[in-house]
Amino acid sequence: MTEFCADQEFYFQWHITERCNGRCAHCYQSSYQSSGEYCLEQLEASLKLMEEALRVWQRKGSFSLTGGEPFLRRRELFRLMDRLDVSNVVAYYDILTNGSLICDEDIRRLKGASKLRRIQLSLEGATAGENDAIRGDRSYARTLDAIDLLKEAGLEVSVMTTITKRNMTSIAAMIDLLAAHRVDAFAVERHIPEGAGRAMRELSLSPGEARQVFELVHSLGLAEPRVRVLMHRPLFSLVDRDDPTVGAVCSVGVNALTVMHDGTVYPCRRLPVPLGNILDDGLFEIWYDSNFLWSVRESARIDGCGACELVSLCRGCRAMAYHVTGDVLARDPQCWKDQPCTA
């Protein structure tokens, strides 16, 4: 499928439930109650508002359907997929899942989806011990089984790894493992101390460690023929500012929103600042009238970014700054630019 650049695309991360059958130690959720969860009719009304915004903004929509665990709402998930498949303003969508609930009938329906780009699962290490310490007993085996099931059906699969001090040296082994299971794409995300993951704050990377990880991922990605290594994240521009496939400006206030299970809209799932409710307030009021979003859009106000020549390519991660310092306009605590080359 054709992928679009930031000024052509608008991304919605859509959490259709907060319920989950897992309890990952680093999860950004702290509650799994999913109170006020939208019914199917409300979900469909929300999608109409998202489509309307995409038409007015003349953007192509990309979506991630997720939770919690989205397959706990199987009926609603597939109904929304059917709607996205026929929408003339939607380019593609992904499903973010732990994979443990996917059955043969789900596979049949997934194969019939015309705009499903990838199914993203997560692994936290190349061994069961490393992964299961974070994601729970036997989650490693279940995830690999789900990957094999999806790949046997010819579906595209990506894997996300959340990087901490514990697994930062396992990236090369992870890529070898994913290649052996025919995974199509691999991405890393930095651990952000929020939700349940606040208890792992001491495992977040230092600026020096972040530099080591990003430079390693970049070098492995350039040399890797088996698995596509995705590098669309802030700070990657510090490694290679000239390659358009490396790095991405923080999307807060630029081309993305998160819609939660009860219609609450956040700037980003990792930045849980309520901007309004999609059905009560509408997306246009949320997007144009939010003082919070306008403050972030003024990049010159971001500490350490205003005078940086990479500000238009990066801006650091606003969620990381917010959760570590309490200030969304603070310097990304893991940015190593102009910092001593130490871990």
Side-chain angles (χ1 to χ4, degrees):
M1 295 181 179
T2 301
E3 297 186 10
F4 298 89
C5 57
D7 61 350
Q8 299 173 310
E9 176 186 6
F10 199 96
Y11 170 68
F12 290 102
Q13 184 164 323
W14 196 358
H15 294 251
I16 64 174
T17 185
E18 287 286 86
R19 290 178 286 139
C20 190
N21 60 331
R23 293 294 185 272
C24 299
H26 61 14
C27 186
Y28 47 51
Q29 291 181 219
S30 54
S31 170
Y32 299 86
Q33 300 305 309
S34 206
S35 59
E37 186 175 276
Y38 271 5
C39 67
L40 178 59
E41 290 72 21
Q42 291 170 308
L43 292 171
E44 292 181 324
S46 299
L47 179 54
K48 287 182 180 179
L49 295 179
M50 290 184 243
E51 290 178 302
E52 178 187 4
L54 290 169
R55 291 189 182 98
V56 170
W57 294 333
Q58 298 183 323
R59 300 284 188 97
K60 283 295 184 181
S62 64
F63 287 72
S64 288
L65 300 176
T66 186
E69 174 45 54
F71 281 91
L72 286 171
R73 300 194 74 187
R74 191 174 267 104
R75 171 174 173 266
E76 291 81 0
L77 173 64
F78 283 113
R79 281 288 296 273
L80 292 176
M81 289 171 59
D82 289 342
R83 286 280 288 103
L84 292 169
D85 280 341
V86 298
S87 175
N88 62 6
V89 291
V90 174
Y92 48 80
Y93 57 89
D94 299 336
I95 298 173
L96 280 51
T97 172
N98 62 37
S100 64
L101 302 179
I102 297 175
C103 64
D104 290 340
E105 175 59 20
D106 295 332
I107 292 291
R108 185 190 67 79
R109 298 193 67 176
L110 292 169
K111 288 178 65 175
S114 61
K115 292 186 179 178
L116 174 61
R117 180 180 62 165
R118 298 189 193 110
I119 300 165
Q120 178 182 298
L121 298 93
S122 294
L123 281 169
E124 309 310 332
T127 66
E130 194 171 36
N131 177 82
D132 293 0
I134 297 295
R135 304 193 69 85
D137 289 346
R138 299 205 73 253
S139 62
Y140 179 84
R142 286 193 296 268
T143 301
L144 292 180
D145 286 346
I147 290 171
D148 292 342
L149 183 65
L150 293 164
K151 289 308 303 175
E152 188 65 29
L155 293 160
E156 186 166 332
V157 175
S158 64
V159 165
M160 169 73 76
T161 297
T162 300
I163 299 295
T164 68
K165 293 177 185 292
R166 285 181 180 168
N167 63 0
M168 61 178 287
T169 61
S170 301
I171 295 170
M174 275 291 300
I175 292 175
D176 287 339
L177 173 70
L178 301 184
H181 287 267
R182 299 183 293 158
V183 168
D184 300 280
F186 171 60
V188 299
E189 182 65 90
R190 293 179 277 160
H191 171 250
I192 296 178
E194 60 174 316
R198 285 193 295 268
M200 295 174 53
R201 180 182 294 269
E202 75 283 359
L203 295 179
S204 294
L205 305 177
S206 69
E209 289 167 337
R211 180 175 188 170
Q212 292 174 30
V213 167
F214 277 58
E215 290 180 347
L216 175 61
V217 171
H218 180 258
S219 63
L220 291 172
L222 293 184
E224 178 55 55
R226 302 165 299 172
V227 180
R228 181 185 177 193
V229 178
L230 304 175
M231 293 177 271
H232 308 305
R233 290 289 186 275
L235 299 192
F236 267 115
S237 297
L238 276 66
V239 180
D240 188 344
R241 70 182 67 185
D242 298 319
D243 185 344
T245 68
V246 175
V249 68
C250 175
S251 63
V252 172
V254 177
N255 70 329
L257 286 169
T258 289
V259 181
M260 296 300 295
H261 62 288
D262 59 357
T264 300
V265 179
Y266 291 157
C268 152
R269 181 57 185 91
R270 295 186 176 276
L271 190 52
V273 177
L275 304 176
N277 181 281
I278 188 169
L279 293 185
D280 294 340
D281 304 305
L283 286 175
F284 298 115
E285 179 177 332
I286 288 170
W287 189 247
Y288 292 112
D289 293 349
S290 167
N291 291 331
F292 184 88
L293 291 182
W294 282 114
S295 71
V296 178
R297 288 174 183 138
E298 296 181 40
S299 298
R301 298 178 59 192
I302 299 174
D303 184 25
C305 290
C308 177
E309 70 277 14
L310 300 177
V311 63
S312 64
L313 305 174
C314 179
R315 293 198 307 171
C317 175
R318 296 299 90 218
M320 180 68 79
Y322 178 81
H323 286 289
V324 173
T325 72
D327 182 1
V328 74
L329 299 179
R331 181 187 179 98
D332 185 327
Q334 292 172 334
C335 176
W336 64 85
K337 191 171 187 293
D338 302 323
Q339 297 293 305
C341 296
T342 62

Short mmCIF file of all heavy atoms in Angstrom, two decimals, residues 241-289:
data_model
loop_
_atom_site.label_atom_id
_atom_site.label_comp_id
_atom_site.label_asym_id
_atom_site.label_seq_id
_atom_site.Cartn_x
_atom_site.Cartn_y
_atom_site.Cartn_z
N ARG A 241 19.94 12.91 9.24
CA ARG A 241 18.99 13.98 8.94
C ARG A 241 18.61 14.04 7.47
O ARG A 241 17.65 14.74 7.11
CB ARG A 241 19.53 15.33 9.37
CG ARG A 241 20.70 15.84 8.53
CD ARG A 241 21.22 17.16 9.02
NE ARG A 241 21.84 17.04 10.33
CZ ARG A 241 22.30 18.07 11.03
NH1 ARG A 241 22.15 19.30 10.57
NH2 ARG A 241 22.89 17.86 12.19
N ASP A 242 19.35 13.35 6.62
CA ASP A 242 19.16 13.49 5.17
C ASP A 242 18.28 12.41 4.56
O ASP A 242 17.78 12.60 3.44
CB ASP A 242 20.53 13.49 4.47
CG ASP A 242 21.40 14.66 4.90
OD1 ASP A 242 20.85 15.77 5.04
OD2 ASP A 242 22.60 14.46 5.10
N ASP A 243 18.08 11.30 5.25
CA ASP A 243 17.27 10.21 4.72
C ASP A 243 15.81 10.42 5.13
O ASP A 243 15.50 10.41 6.33
CB ASP A 243 17.79 8.87 5.25
CG ASP A 243 17.08 7.67 4.65
OD1 ASP A 243 15.99 7.85 4.06
OD2 ASP A 243 17.62 6.55 4.78
N PRO A 244 14.88 10.62 4.19
CA PRO A 244 13.48 10.88 4.54
C PRO A 244 12.79 9.70 5.20
O PRO A 244 11.70 9.86 5.77
CB PRO A 244 12.84 11.23 3.20
CG PRO A 244 13.71 10.59 2.17
CD PRO A 244 15.10 10.65 2.73
N THR A 245 13.37 8.51 5.13
CA THR A 245 12.77 7.35 5.79
C THR A 245 13.26 7.19 7.23
O THR A 245 12.85 6.27 7.92
CB THR A 245 13.08 6.05 5.02
OG1 THR A 245 14.48 5.76 5.12
CG2 THR A 245 12.70 6.18 3.56
N VAL A 246 14.12 8.10 7.67
CA VAL A 246 14.67 8.04 9.01
C VAL A 246 14.22 9.27 9.78
O VAL A 246 14.41 10.40 9.33
CB VAL A 246 16.22 7.98 8.97
CG1 VAL A 246 16.79 8.05 10.38
CG2 VAL A 246 16.67 6.71 8.27
N GLY A 247 13.62 9.05 10.93
CA GLY A 247 13.18 10.15 11.77
C GLY A 247 11.77 10.58 11.45
O GLY A 247 11.19 10.24 10.42
N ALA A 248 11.19 11.33 12.38
CA ALA A 248 9.85 11.89 12.21
C ALA A 248 9.65 12.96 13.26
O ALA A 248 10.09 12.82 14.41
CB ALA A 248 8.78 10.81 12.35
N VAL A 249 8.98 14.02 12.87
CA VAL A 249 8.66 15.04 13.84
C VAL A 249 7.60 14.50 14.80
O VAL A 249 6.75 13.70 14.42
CB VAL A 249 8.14 16.31 13.12
CG1 VAL A 249 6.79 16.06 12.46
CG2 VAL A 249 8.06 17.49 14.08
N CYS A 250 7.70 14.87 16.07
CA CYS A 250 6.66 14.49 17.02
C CYS A 250 5.31 14.94 16.47
O CYS A 250 5.14 16.09 16.07
CB CYS A 250 6.93 15.14 18.37
SG CYS A 250 5.64 14.86 19.60
N SER A 251 4.35 14.03 16.44
CA SER A 251 3.08 14.29 15.73
C SER A 251 2.09 15.12 16.52
O SER A 251 1.04 15.50 15.98
CB SER A 251 2.44 12.95 15.35
OG SER A 251 2.10 12.22 16.51
N VAL A 252 2.38 15.43 17.78
CA VAL A 252 1.43 16.17 18.61
C VAL A 252 1.13 17.54 18.01
O VAL A 252 2.04 18.35 17.78
CB VAL A 252 1.97 16.32 20.05
CG1 VAL A 252 1.08 17.26 20.87
CG2 VAL A 252 2.06 14.96 20.72
N GLY A 253 -0.13 17.78 17.71
CA GLY A 253 -0.55 19.04 17.13
C GLY A 253 -0.25 19.20 15.66
O GLY A 253 -0.50 20.26 15.08
N VAL A 254 0.30 18.15 15.03
CA VAL A 254 0.71 18.23 13.63
C VAL A 254 -0.20 17.41 12.74
O VAL A 254 -0.85 17.95 11.83
CB VAL A 254 2.17 17.75 13.46
CG1 VAL A 254 2.58 17.76 11.98
CG2 VAL A 254 3.11 18.62 14.27
N ASN A 255 -0.26 16.10 12.97
CA ASN A 255 -1.05 15.26 12.06
C ASN A 255 -1.55 13.98 12.73
O ASN A 255 -1.62 12.94 12.09
CB ASN A 255 -0.23 14.90 10.82
CG ASN A 255 0.91 13.94 11.11
OD1 ASN A 255 1.47 13.95 12.20
ND2 ASN A 255 1.24 13.10 10.15
N ALA A 256 -1.91 14.07 14.00
CA ALA A 256 -2.38 12.87 14.68
C ALA A 256 -3.22 13.22 15.91
O ALA A 256 -3.05 14.27 16.52
CB ALA A 256 -1.18 12.01 15.13
N LEU A 257 -4.14 12.30 16.22
CA LEU A 257 -4.91 12.36 17.45
C LEU A 257 -5.18 10.94 17.92
O LEU A 257 -5.20 10.01 17.11
CB LEU A 257 -6.26 13.08 17.25
CG LEU A 257 -6.23 14.60 17.09
CD1 LEU A 257 -7.58 15.11 16.64
CD2 LEU A 257 -5.79 15.30 18.38
N THR A 258 -5.41 10.79 19.20
CA THR A 258 -5.83 9.50 19.76
C THR A 258 -7.25 9.62 20.26
O THR A 258 -7.60 10.59 20.96
CB THR A 258 -4.90 9.10 20.92
OG1 THR A 258 -3.62 8.75 20.39
CG2 THR A 258 -5.46 7.90 21.69
N VAL A 259 -8.08 8.66 19.88
CA VAL A 259 -9.47 8.60 20.35
C VAL A 259 -9.61 7.40 21.26
O VAL A 259 -9.31 6.27 20.87
CB VAL A 259 -10.45 8.51 19.16
CG1 VAL A 259 -11.90 8.48 19.67
CG2 VAL A 259 -10.25 9.68 18.20
N MET A 260 -10.07 7.66 22.48
CA MET A 260 -10.13 6.61 23.48
C MET A 260 -11.48 5.87 23.45
O MET A 260 -12.39 6.22 22.71
CB MET A 260 -9.86 7.20 24.86
CG MET A 260 -8.47 7.78 25.02
SD MET A 260 -7.17 6.55 24.75
CE MET A 260 -7.48 5.44 26.13
N HIS A 261 -11.59 4.84 24.28
CA HIS A 261 -12.75 3.94 24.31
C HIS A 261 -14.05 4.67 24.62
O HIS A 261 -15.12 4.23 24.20
CB HIS A 261 -12.52 2.87 25.37
CG HIS A 261 -12.39 3.44 26.75
ND1 HIS A 261 -11.28 4.16 27.16
CD2 HIS A 261 -13.25 3.43 27.81
CE1 HIS A 261 -11.45 4.56 28.42
NE2 HIS A 261 -12.63 4.13 28.83
N ASP A 262 -13.96 5.80 25.33
CA ASP A 262 -15.16 6.56 25.71
C ASP A 262 -15.29 7.86 24.94
O ASP A 262 -16.06 8.74 25.33
CB ASP A 262 -15.12 6.85 27.22
CG ASP A 262 -13.88 7.65 27.63
OD1 ASP A 262 -13.02 7.93 26.76
OD2 ASP A 262 -13.77 7.98 28.83
N GLY A 263 -14.52 7.99 23.86
CA GLY A 263 -14.60 9.18 23.03
C GLY A 263 -13.68 10.31 23.44
O GLY A 263 -13.58 11.32 22.74
N THR A 264 -13.00 10.17 24.57
CA THR A 264 -12.03 11.19 24.97
C THR A 264 -10.91 11.26 23.93
O THR A 264 -10.43 10.23 23.46
CB THR A 264 -11.42 10.85 26.35
OG1 THR A 264 -12.48 10.80 27.31
CG2 THR A 264 -10.42 11.91 26.77
N VAL A 265 -10.51 12.47 23.60
CA VAL A 265 -9.47 12.68 22.60
C VAL A 265 -8.20 13.17 23.30
O VAL A 265 -8.24 14.12 24.08
CB VAL A 265 -9.92 13.68 21.52
CG1 VAL A 265 -8.80 13.91 20.50
CG2 VAL A 265 -11.18 13.17 20.82
N TYR A 266 -7.09 12.50 23.01
CA TYR A 266 -5.77 12.88 23.52
C TYR A 266 -4.91 13.36 22.35
O TYR A 266 -5.11 12.95 21.20
CB TYR A 266 -5.06 11.68 24.16
CG TYR A 266 -5.63 11.15 25.44
CD1 TYR A 266 -5.37 9.82 25.82
CD2 TYR A 266 -6.39 11.93 26.30
CE1 TYR A 266 -5.85 9.30 27.01
CE2 TYR A 266 -6.88 11.42 27.49
CZ TYR A 266 -6.61 10.10 27.83
OH TYR A 266 -7.09 9.58 29.01
N PRO A 267 -3.88 14.16 22.64
CA PRO A 267 -2.91 14.51 21.58
C PRO A 267 -2.18 13.28 21.06
O PRO A 267 -1.81 13.20 19.89
CB PRO A 267 -1.94 15.46 22.28
CG PRO A 267 -2.63 15.91 23.51
CD PRO A 267 -3.56 14.81 23.91
N CYS A 268 -1.94 12.30 21.96
CA CYS A 268 -1.21 11.08 21.68
C CYS A 268 -1.52 10.15 22.83
O CYS A 268 -1.80 10.62 23.94
CB CYS A 268 0.28 11.41 21.57
SG CYS A 268 1.45 10.11 21.98
N ARG A 269 -1.51 8.83 22.59
CA ARG A 269 -1.87 7.93 23.69
C ARG A 269 -0.89 8.01 24.84
O ARG A 269 -1.26 7.79 26.00
CB ARG A 269 -1.94 6.47 23.17
CG ARG A 269 -2.33 5.46 24.26
CD ARG A 269 -3.66 5.81 24.90
NE ARG A 269 -4.01 4.96 26.02
CZ ARG A 269 -3.71 5.21 27.29
NH1 ARG A 269 -2.97 6.28 27.59
NH2 ARG A 269 -4.11 4.40 28.25
N ARG A 270 0.34 8.33 24.54
CA ARG A 270 1.33 8.45 25.59
C ARG A 270 1.35 9.85 26.22
O ARG A 270 2.17 10.14 27.08
CB ARG A 270 2.71 8.07 25.06
CG ARG A 270 2.78 6.60 24.64
CD ARG A 270 4.17 6.17 24.26
NE ARG A 270 4.22 4.76 23.95
CZ ARG A 270 4.35 3.78 24.84
NH1 ARG A 270 4.40 4.07 26.13
NH2 ARG A 270 4.41 2.52 24.48
N LEU A 271 0.45 10.69 25.78
CA LEU A 271 0.31 12.04 26.33
C LEU A 271 -1.16 12.22 26.71
O LEU A 271 -1.93 12.88 26.01
CB LEU A 271 0.75 13.07 25.29
CG LEU A 271 0.91 14.52 25.71
CD1 LEU A 271 1.79 14.65 26.94
CD2 LEU A 271 1.47 15.33 24.56
N PRO A 272 -1.58 11.63 27.83
CA PRO A 272 -3.00 11.54 28.17
C PRO A 272 -3.57 12.84 28.76
O PRO A 272 -4.03 12.90 29.90
CB PRO A 272 -3.05 10.40 29.18
CG PRO A 272 -1.72 10.44 29.86
CD PRO A 272 -0.74 10.89 28.80
N VAL A 273 -3.53 13.88 27.95
CA VAL A 273 -4.12 15.17 28.33
C VAL A 273 -5.44 15.30 27.57
O VAL A 273 -5.44 15.44 26.34
CB VAL A 273 -3.18 16.33 27.96
CG1 VAL A 273 -3.83 17.67 28.28
CG2 VAL A 273 -1.85 16.19 28.68
N PRO A 274 -6.59 15.23 28.25
CA PRO A 274 -7.87 15.28 27.53
C PRO A 274 -8.07 16.61 26.82
O PRO A 274 -7.95 17.68 27.42
CB PRO A 274 -8.90 15.09 28.65
CG PRO A 274 -8.16 14.46 29.78
CD PRO A 274 -6.77 15.02 29.69
N LEU A 275 -8.37 16.53 25.54
CA LEU A 275 -8.63 17.72 24.72
C LEU A 275 -10.12 17.96 24.53
O LEU A 275 -10.52 19.05 24.10
CB LEU A 275 -7.97 17.57 23.35
CG LEU A 275 -6.46 17.31 23.33
CD1 LEU A 275 -5.98 17.08 21.90
CD2 LEU A 275 -5.70 18.46 23.98
N GLY A 276 -10.92 16.94 24.81
CA GLY A 276 -12.36 17.02 24.61
C GLY A 276 -12.89 15.64 24.32
O GLY A 276 -12.18 14.64 24.45
N ASN A 277 -14.15 15.59 23.91
CA ASN A 277 -14.80 14.33 23.56
C ASN A 277 -15.27 14.41 22.12
O ASN A 277 -15.88 15.40 21.71
CB ASN A 277 -15.98 14.06 24.50
CG ASN A 277 -16.68 12.76 24.18
OD1 ASN A 277 -17.47 12.66 23.25
ND2 ASN A 277 -16.38 11.73 24.97
N ILE A 278 -14.99 13.38 21.34
CA ILE A 278 -15.24 13.45 19.91
C ILE A 278 -16.70 13.68 19.58
O ILE A 278 -17.03 14.48 18.68
CB ILE A 278 -14.68 12.20 19.19
CG1 ILE A 278 -14.77 12.36 17.67
CG2 ILE A 278 -15.36 10.92 19.68
CD1 ILE A 278 -14.01 11.31 16.90
N LEU A 279 -17.63 13.03 20.29
CA LEU A 279 -19.04 13.20 19.98
C LEU A 279 -19.62 14.46 20.61
O LEU A 279 -20.51 15.09 20.03
CB LEU A 279 -19.84 11.98 20.44
CG LEU A 279 -19.56 10.66 19.70
CD1 LEU A 279 -20.50 9.57 20.18
CD2 LEU A 279 -19.68 10.83 18.18
N ASP A 280 -19.11 14.86 21.76
CA ASP A 280 -19.64 16.05 22.43
C ASP A 280 -19.09 17.33 21.84
O ASP A 280 -19.82 18.34 21.74
CB ASP A 280 -19.28 16.01 23.92
CG ASP A 280 -19.97 14.88 24.66
OD1 ASP A 280 -20.98 14.35 24.13
OD2 ASP A 280 -19.49 14.50 25.74
N ASP A 281 -17.81 17.33 21.47
CA ASP A 281 -17.15 18.57 21.05
C ASP A 281 -16.84 18.63 19.56
O ASP A 281 -16.70 19.73 19.01
CB ASP A 281 -15.85 18.75 21.83
CG ASP A 281 -16.08 18.73 23.33
OD1 ASP A 281 -16.90 19.53 23.80
OD2 ASP A 281 -15.44 17.90 24.02
N GLY A 282 -16.69 17.48 18.92
CA GLY A 282 -16.31 17.47 17.51
C GLY A 282 -14.81 17.69 17.33
O GLY A 282 -14.15 18.30 18.17
N LEU A 283 -14.28 17.19 16.24
CA LEU A 283 -12.84 17.26 16.02
C LEU A 283 -12.35 18.66 15.67
O LEU A 283 -11.22 19.02 16.00
CB LEU A 283 -12.44 16.27 14.92
CG LEU A 283 -12.46 14.80 15.33
CD1 LEU A 283 -12.18 13.91 14.13
CD2 LEU A 283 -11.44 14.52 16.44
N PHE A 284 -13.18 19.46 15.01
CA PHE A 284 -12.71 20.78 14.60
C PHE A 284 -12.48 21.68 15.82
O PHE A 284 -11.47 22.38 15.92
CB PHE A 284 -13.69 21.42 13.62
CG PHE A 284 -13.85 20.64 12.35
CD1 PHE A 284 -15.05 20.05 12.02
CD2 PHE A 284 -12.77 20.47 11.49
CE1 PHE A 284 -15.18 19.32 10.86
CE2 PHE A 284 -12.89 19.74 10.32
CZ PHE A 284 -14.11 19.15 10.00
N GLU A 285 -13.40 21.66 16.77
CA GLU A 285 -13.21 22.45 17.99
C GLU A 285 -11.99 21.95 18.75
O GLU A 285 -11.17 22.75 19.25
CB GLU A 285 -14.45 22.35 18.88
CG GLU A 285 -14.32 23.13 20.18
CD GLU A 285 -15.58 23.08 21.02
OE1 GLU A 285 -16.68 22.94 20.45
OE2 GLU A 285 -15.45 23.18 22.26
N ILE A 286 -11.85 20.64 18.85
CA ILE A 286 -10.70 20.07 19.56
C ILE A 286 -9.39 20.47 18.89
O ILE A 286 -8.43 20.88 19.56
CB ILE A 286 -10.84 18.53 19.62
CG1 ILE A 286 -11.94 18.14 20.60
CG2 ILE A 286 -9.51 17.87 20.00
CD1 ILE A 286 -12.31 16.67 20.57
N TRP A 287 -9.33 20.38 17.59
CA TRP A 287 -8.08 20.60 16.86
C TRP A 287 -7.69 22.08 16.82
O TRP A 287 -6.51 22.43 16.95
CB TRP A 287 -8.21 20.06 15.44
CG TRP A 287 -6.93 20.03 14.66
CD1 TRP A 287 -6.60 20.78 13.56
CD2 TRP A 287 -5.78 19.21 14.92
NE1 TRP A 287 -5.35 20.48 13.11
CE2 TRP A 287 -4.81 19.51 13.92
CE3 TRP A 287 -5.48 18.26 15.89
CZ2 TRP A 287 -3.57 18.89 13.88
CZ3 TRP A 287 -4.24 17.64 15.84
CH2 TRP A 287 -3.30 17.96 14.84
N TYR A 288 -8.69 22.96 16.66
CA TYR A 288 -8.37 24.37 16.47
C TYR A 288 -8.45 25.22 17.74
O TYR A 288 -7.85 26.29 17.79
CB TYR A 288 -9.30 24.97 15.41
CG TYR A 288 -9.06 24.42 14.02
CD1 TYR A 288 -10.00 23.62 13.40
CD2 TYR A 288 -7.87 24.68 13.34
CE1 TYR A 288 -9.78 23.11 12.13
CE2 TYR A 288 -7.63 24.16 12.07
CZ TYR A 288 -8.61 23.38 11.47
OH TYR A 288 -8.38 22.87 10.21
N ASP A 289 -9.16 24.76 18.76
CA ASP A 289 -9.38 25.60 19.94
C ASP A 289 -8.59 25.15 21.16
O ASP A 289 -8.76 25.71 22.25
CB ASP A 289 -10.87 25.63 20.30
CG ASP A 289 -11.70 26.36 19.25
OD1 ASP A 289 -11.11 27.00 18.37
OD2 ASP A 289 -12.95 26.26 19.31
#
